[in-house]
């Protein structure tokens, strides 16, 4: 089932307010898994202050998170956004909420400053690739980023040489516009301070 306007389960998508940034940071740190790089506490705080860290809340509890922050990968000299940190509680998956959270975050941040958006997805992460490519409209470039054994040790699934490899994806302008149009079509305002959404029960 996809999110709709009339359903029993009420959720809110909202930029992380300063008062809950520690809880949001804890959510991020405790759900890193094999496919996500940690954001440092200082960087996390900067992203929160810039209103680029977005969560899904259910009855005041954080159940999903992602960010759209200045891209730190420095693939070239072009200034870009980096979409990342996406995690949704398992019980809420498969109903379009990951797409909705991502769309709201990307639309809100890029409307304010429309720079190209990049995504980096671990090569062994089909859920991440599926969501970014099939639902959000990212395209896979011919670039990859590779972390060596000394980069972010203790994080990410590694190959036998101790390296982690991610696909580099970019979001074409037309796809970005489509995300914004899709939100409008279902009556959601990404610029609102908090976006109420509801999920039909499965
Ligand atoms: C990725 C994640 C946020 C998806 O959330 P979600 O609410 O289930 O996603 P949606 O329902 O909006 O979209 C589902 C799409 O994502 C892809 N997808 C989701 N789970 C998948 C899986 N296990 N295998 C393959 N594709 C998957 C599919 O393309 C799917 O589209 P479909 O329903 O048309 O098949 C969630 O699985 C998650 O939190 N995973 C752990 C963290 C993670 O991998 N984050 C991504 C880092 S890049």
């Amino acid at each position: 089932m996809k999110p709709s306007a009339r359903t029993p389960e009420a959720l809110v998508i909202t930029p992380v307010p300063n008062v809950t940034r520690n809880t949001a940071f804890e959510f991020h740190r405790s759900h890193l898994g094999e496919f996500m790089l940690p954001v440092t506490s200082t960087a996390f705080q900067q992203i929160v202050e810039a209103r680029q860290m977005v969560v899904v809340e259910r009855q005041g509890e954080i159940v999903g998170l992602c960010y759209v922050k200045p891209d730190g990968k420095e693939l070239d000299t072009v200034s870009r956004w980096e979409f990342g940190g996406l995690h949704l509680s398992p019980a809420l998956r498969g109903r379009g909420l990951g797409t909705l959270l991502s769309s709201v975050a990307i639309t809100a941040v890029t409307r304010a400053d429309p720079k190209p958006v990049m995504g980096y997805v671990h090569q062994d992460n089909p859920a991440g690739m599926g969501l970014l490519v099939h639902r959000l409209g990212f395209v896979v470039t011919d670039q990859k980023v590779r972390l060596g054994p000394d980069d972010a040790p203790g994080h990410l699934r590694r190959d036998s040489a101790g390296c982690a490899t991610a696909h580099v994806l970019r979001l074409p302008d037309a796809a970005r516009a489509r995300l914004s149009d899709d939100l409008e079509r279902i009556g959601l305002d990404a610029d609102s301070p908090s976006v109420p959404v509801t999920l039909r029960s499965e």
Side-chain angles (χ1 to χ4, degrees):
M1 290 282 192
K2 305 304 173 206
S4 93
R6 291 164 294 282
T7 69
E9 187 157 25
L11 304 159
V12 172
I13 298 177
T14 178
V16 175
N18 222 7
V19 285
T20 56
R21 68 163 194 268
N22 290 344
T23 315
F25 184 61
E26 183 51 37
F27 182 90
H28 165 69
R29 295 295 298 199
S30 60
H31 293 104
L32 286 170
E34 294 185 292
F35 299 135
M36 219 175 319
L37 266 177
V39 173
T40 65
S41 168
T42 307
F44 196 94
Q45 185 165 338
Q46 285 167 353
I47 302 168
V48 168
E49 280 167 6
R51 298 181 65 76
Q52 294 160 352
M53 186 71 69
V54 181
V55 287
V56 186
E57 289 180 359
R58 181 174 53 187
Q59 294 169 354
E61 182 196 355
I62 294 173
V63 291
L65 178 146
C66 73
Y67 56 72
V68 181
K69 71 177 183 65
D71 190 2
K73 300 287 189 299
E74 296 178 351
L75 300 172
D76 51 34
T77 55
V78 177
S79 175
R80 304 169 194 275
W81 294 116
E82 175 182 346
F83 167 65
L86 175 63
H87 181 91
L88 187 68
S89 295
L92 292 169
R93 292 180 191 171
R95 293 194 273 166
L97 190 57
T99 304
L100 200 52
L101 167 64
S102 308
S103 300
V104 168
I106 291 169
T107 300
V109 172
T110 59
R111 257 189 207 157
D113 187 356
K115 291 186 295 195
V117 183
M118 307 302 288
Y120 303 90
V121 182
H122 193 289
Q123 62 179 2
D124 297 338
N125 185 358
M129 287 298 285
L131 180 79
L132 269 75
V133 173
H134 297 127
R135 288 296 191 86
L136 299 177
F138 277 80
V139 295
V140 184
T141 72
D142 54 11
Q143 286 179 292
K144 290 189 180 184
V145 287
R146 195 167 158 86
L147 296 185
D150 298 331
D151 301 319
H155 295 283
L156 300 176
R157 186 182 294 184
R158 305 278 170 159
D159 60 22
S160 54
C163 297
T165 305
H167 295 289
V168 177
L169 295 88
R170 66 176 180 84
L171 185 66
D173 288 346
R176 179 154 56 85
R178 214 159 33 239
L179 295 181
S180 172
D181 292 348
D182 286 350
L183 292 179
E184 266 181 40
R185 194 165 330 109
I186 59 172
L188 294 185
D189 177 7
D191 294 331
S192 157
S194 77
V195 179
V197 291
T198 47
L199 286 183
R200 291 196 197 103
S201 39
E202 281 173 300

